[in-house]
């Protein structure tokens, strides 16, 4: 930058900018966070009004099942989802002031790569293992992004943060407070104690191992709250690096598989009751799909308790994102670097992740304002489209992540910290499960 020119006076020719900088939002448009709140509530409003975007079938176990996936009717449903998400993403680009052309060219590629990943996840063997769809989306994205040089027009179309935040707003519709209160207070008590103790232990451990604070916050939230969703929410709250988010998500998914398989057998070996086992599984396994699969191996009671506990932890997601965003503003914003100069409420509001308001608003709407039959009628559709947004986001993250650089930059220390924190989580959760459910 030339000396004597202020940032407001600096003039840059558009052709001199990189494609990524050219695609940045222009002034006088909505921020990305407000945009995702608007898009999320458009989806919710359309669902309440009866607009139905039917999800295509991805489940298959043999050649006949695979053939039905490629049937004309199912492909028509896939096209419907493509058009629906495409229109919303274009609207998001217009609201934020981004160029629309890259989305027109690149989003269909991202969508069909995601559809392929969902097809892999729909295999019965994979489903029985409890593997979540996002792990396949991330894997497909990493495979393509690390073996093929991506064209500029495709790179410009990768809007992982926008996609994932829309999914987080929709996630609020699944957090129904009355369901948790009906299930009893024990799950809430356990969740609160586990989240606080495991989070602080994990964050302290990250500091001891000299892991950078941004990665430490994502890691601590993932291991203590609800895995992938918590890591995503934390990354949004601190405007985190998507490569670090990809690393944390990979650790969550890698550790969830052996925990899901072996913990039920350990519980059976020591003769734990189904109640204790369910509370243990729900409080320590980080992904909802793995919790359900693991609880099913034990029995109906264990499945019910594990789901309640995991659901109770999900409720704390919005509160955690709020607390983390305030902490990050006070410790990392330039106005908060000096002890005598802390950021004002205006600065905190500016940095506050507005998508959290969308998450909380959606939860309150579905918990207290809509009729139970309306909630039951639209909840499945919204959950399906929410899962699609997450899958699209993780395909995008995989495409823009160089796996070799990711491992080299972060070293092996975060993985060891994650394993130690997860072991602490397993032990503290088991103690609480015995005290509360034994």
């Amino acid at each position: 930058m030339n000396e004597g020119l202020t940032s407001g006076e600096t003039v840059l020719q558009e052709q001199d900018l990189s494609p990524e900088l050219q695609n940045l939002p222009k002034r006088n448009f909505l921020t990305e966070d407000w945009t995702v709140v608007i898009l999320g509530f458009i989806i919710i409003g359309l669902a309440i009004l009866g607009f139905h975007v039917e999800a295509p079938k991805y489940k298959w176990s043999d050649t006949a099942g695979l053939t039905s996936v490629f049937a004309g009717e199912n492909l028509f449903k896939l096209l419907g989802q493509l058009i629906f998400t495409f229109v919303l993403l274009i609207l998001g680009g217009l609201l934020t002031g981004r160029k629309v052309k890259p989305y027109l060219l690149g989003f269909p590629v991202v969508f069909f790569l995601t559809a392929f990943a969902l097809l892999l996840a729909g295999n019965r063997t994979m489903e029985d293992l409890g593997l979540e769809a996002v792990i396949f989306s991330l894997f497909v994205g990493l495979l393509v992004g690390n073996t093929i040089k991506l064209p500029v027009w495709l790179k410009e179309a990768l809007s992982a943060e926008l996609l994932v935040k829309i999914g987080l707003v929709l996630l609020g519709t699944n957090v129904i407070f009355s369901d948790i209160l009906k299930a009893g207070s024990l799950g809430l008590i356990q969740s609160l104690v586990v989240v606080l103790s495991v989070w602080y232990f994990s964050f302290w451990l990250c500091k001891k191992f000299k892991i950078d604070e941004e990665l430490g916050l994502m890691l601590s939230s993932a291991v203590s709250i609800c895995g992938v969703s918590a890591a995503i929410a934390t990354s949004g709250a601190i405007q985190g690096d998507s490569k670090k988010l990809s690393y944390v998500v990979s650790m969550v998914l890698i550790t969830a598989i052996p925990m899901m398989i072996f913990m039920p057998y350990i519980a059976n070996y020591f003769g734990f009751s189904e109640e204790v086992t369910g509370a243990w599984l729900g409080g320590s396994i980080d992904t909802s799909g793995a919790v359900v699969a693991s609880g099913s191996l034990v029995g109906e009671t264990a499945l019910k308790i594990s789901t309640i506990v995991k659901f109770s932890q999900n409720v704390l997601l919005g509160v955690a994102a709020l607390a983390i965003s305030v902490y990050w503003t006070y410790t990392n914003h330039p106005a908060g670097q000096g002890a005598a100069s802390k950021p004002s409420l205006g600065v905190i509001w500016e940095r506050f992740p507005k998508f959290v308001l969308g998450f909380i608003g959606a939860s309150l709407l579905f918990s207290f304002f809509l009729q139970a039959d309306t909630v039951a009628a639209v909840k499945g559709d919204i959950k399906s489209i929410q899962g699609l947004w997450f899958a699209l986001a993780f395909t995008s993250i995989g495409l823009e992540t160089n796996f070799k650089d990711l491992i080299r930059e972060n070293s092996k220390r975060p993985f060891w910290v994650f394993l130690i924190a997860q072991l602490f989580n397993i032990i503290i959760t088991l103690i609480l499960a015995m005290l509360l459910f034994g």
Side-chain angles (χ1 to χ4, degrees):
M1 185 181 295
N2 294 331
E3 293 183 9
L5 287 177
T6 65
S7 60
E9 296 170 326
T10 303
V11 179
L12 293 174
Q13 295 297 322
E14 186 171 303
Q15 60 266 29
D16 296 331
L17 297 174
S18 67
E20 290 80 4
L21 291 176
Q22 288 182 34
N23 203 35
L24 286 175
K26 305 176 183 67
R27 292 183 179 181
N28 302 323
F29 286 90
L30 288 175
T31 63
E32 186 173 83
D33 274 8
W34 280 124
T35 298
V36 299
V37 172
I38 292 171
L39 296 179
F41 273 86
I42 287 175
I43 296 170
I44 293 169
L46 288 173
I48 294 172
L49 292 173
F51 184 79
H52 183 65
V53 181
E54 195 168 354
K57 170 189 172 185
Y58 290 106
K59 294 183 179 180
W60 60 281
S61 58
D62 51 27
T63 305
L66 192 59
T67 302
S68 67
V69 172
F70 288 95
E73 183 181 356
N74 204 51
L75 293 178
F76 185 75
K77 294 176 184 176
L78 182 69
L79 179 62
Q81 276 196 340
L82 170 60
I83 294 171
F84 182 67
T85 51
F86 205 0
V87 170
L88 285 170
L89 189 61
I90 296 299
L91 177 60
L94 293 173
L95 290 175
T96 55
R98 289 179 180 270
K99 291 185 175 181
V100 172
K101 185 178 178 181
Y103 296 142
L104 295 174
L105 296 172
F107 181 72
V109 176
V110 176
F111 184 90
F112 285 112
L113 285 175
T114 303
F116 175 67
L118 294 176
L119 181 64
L120 295 177
N123 179 263
R124 180 159 185 182
T125 302
M126 301 302 175
E127 271 202 333
D128 290 343
L129 288 174
L131 299 178
E132 293 195 24
V134 291
I135 190 172
F136 293 94
S137 298
L138 184 60
F139 174 76
V140 168
L142 286 170
L143 183 64
V144 174
N146 285 270
T147 56
I148 300 172
K149 183 175 174 58
L150 301 183
V152 172
W153 55 265
L154 181 54
K155 288 182 178 179
E156 288 181 336
L158 302 178
S159 301
E161 196 168 348
L162 180 72
L163 298 170
V164 84
K165 286 178 181 177
I166 296 172
L168 282 168
V169 172
L170 299 179
L171 181 64
T173 63
N174 290 315
V175 181
I176 309 298
F177 292 98
S178 59
D179 289 349
I180 297 169
L181 293 176
K182 286 177 187 175
S185 59
L186 293 180
L188 283 170
I189 294 171
Q190 177 180 312
S191 298
L192 185 61
V193 175
V194 166
V195 166
L196 289 174
S197 58
V198 175
W199 195 95
Y200 279 107
F201 175 79
S202 302
F203 195 54
W204 170 82
L205 201 61
C206 286
K207 288 186 174 182
K208 289 295 181 182
F209 276 74
K210 294 182 171 50
I211 293 170
D212 73 86
E213 199 168 31
E214 184 180 327
L215 180 58
L217 284 168
M218 293 187 213
L219 188 154
S220 301
S221 298
V223 77
S224 63
I225 306 175
C226 52
V228 173
S229 297
I232 294 167
T234 302
S235 178
I238 65 175
Q239 301 174 8
D241 186 342
S242 63
K243 294 179 181 178
K244 294 177 182 177
L245 173 60
S246 174
Y247 190 51
V248 172
V249 169
S250 299
M251 289 190 289
V252 169
L253 298 173
I254 288 169
T255 55
I257 297 170
M259 288 174 66
M260 173 195 72
I261 295 171
F262 292 112
M263 285 177 67
Y265 291 102
I266 294 172
N268 181 63
Y269 178 81
F270 286 102
F272 298 155
S273 67
E274 283 200 27
E275 290 82 1
V276 170
T277 303
W280 187 36
L281 298 175
S284 54
I285 298 177
D286 290 322
T287 71
S288 299
V291 167
V292 171
S294 192
S296 301
L297 293 175
V298 181
E300 285 296 323
T301 302
L303 176 60
K304 179 182 177 182
I305 298 295
S306 64
T307 304
I308 291 169
V309 171
K310 177 53 62 181
F311 204 54
S312 300
Q313 287 183 331
N314 291 342
V315 173
L316 299 173
L317 182 59
V319 178
L322 170 60
I324 289 168
S325 68
V326 173
Y327 167 80
W328 190 251
T329 299
Y330 265 83
T331 57
N332 288 275
H333 193 280
Q337 295 301 310
S341 177
K342 292 298 178 185
S344 64
L345 288 176
V347 171
I348 293 174
W349 172 249
E350 179 188 346
R351 290 288 304 274
F352 176 73
K354 310 303 188 300
F355 74 87
V356 174
L357 299 179
F359 174 92
I360 295 172
S363 180
L364 292 175
L365 176 67
F366 273 65
S367 296
F368 302 111
F369 294 98
L370 294 180
Q371 297 292 330
D373 55 346
T374 302
V375 172
V378 303
K379 199 173 175 182
D381 280 354
I382 294 176
K383 187 172 182 179
S384 172
I385 200 72
Q386 168 222 310
L388 177 60
W389 286 113
F390 278 156
L392 289 167
F394 276 91
T395 302
S396 299
I397 289 173
L399 286 170
E400 62 188 9
T401 299
N402 186 298
F403 202 64
K404 291 180 181 178
D405 290 344
L406 185 66
I407 296 173
R408 184 167 60 248
E409 288 173 10
N410 291 295
S411 76
K412 297 178 182 178
R413 284 179 297 165
F415 186 66
W416 288 113
V417 168
F418 190 89
L419 291 180
I420 295 170
Q422 192 64 272
L423 179 62
F424 177 80
N425 183 20
I426 290 170
I427 294 171
I428 198 73
T429 303
L430 177 59
I431 293 171
L432 284 167
M434 287 179 166
L435 290 174
L436 294 172
F437 292 88

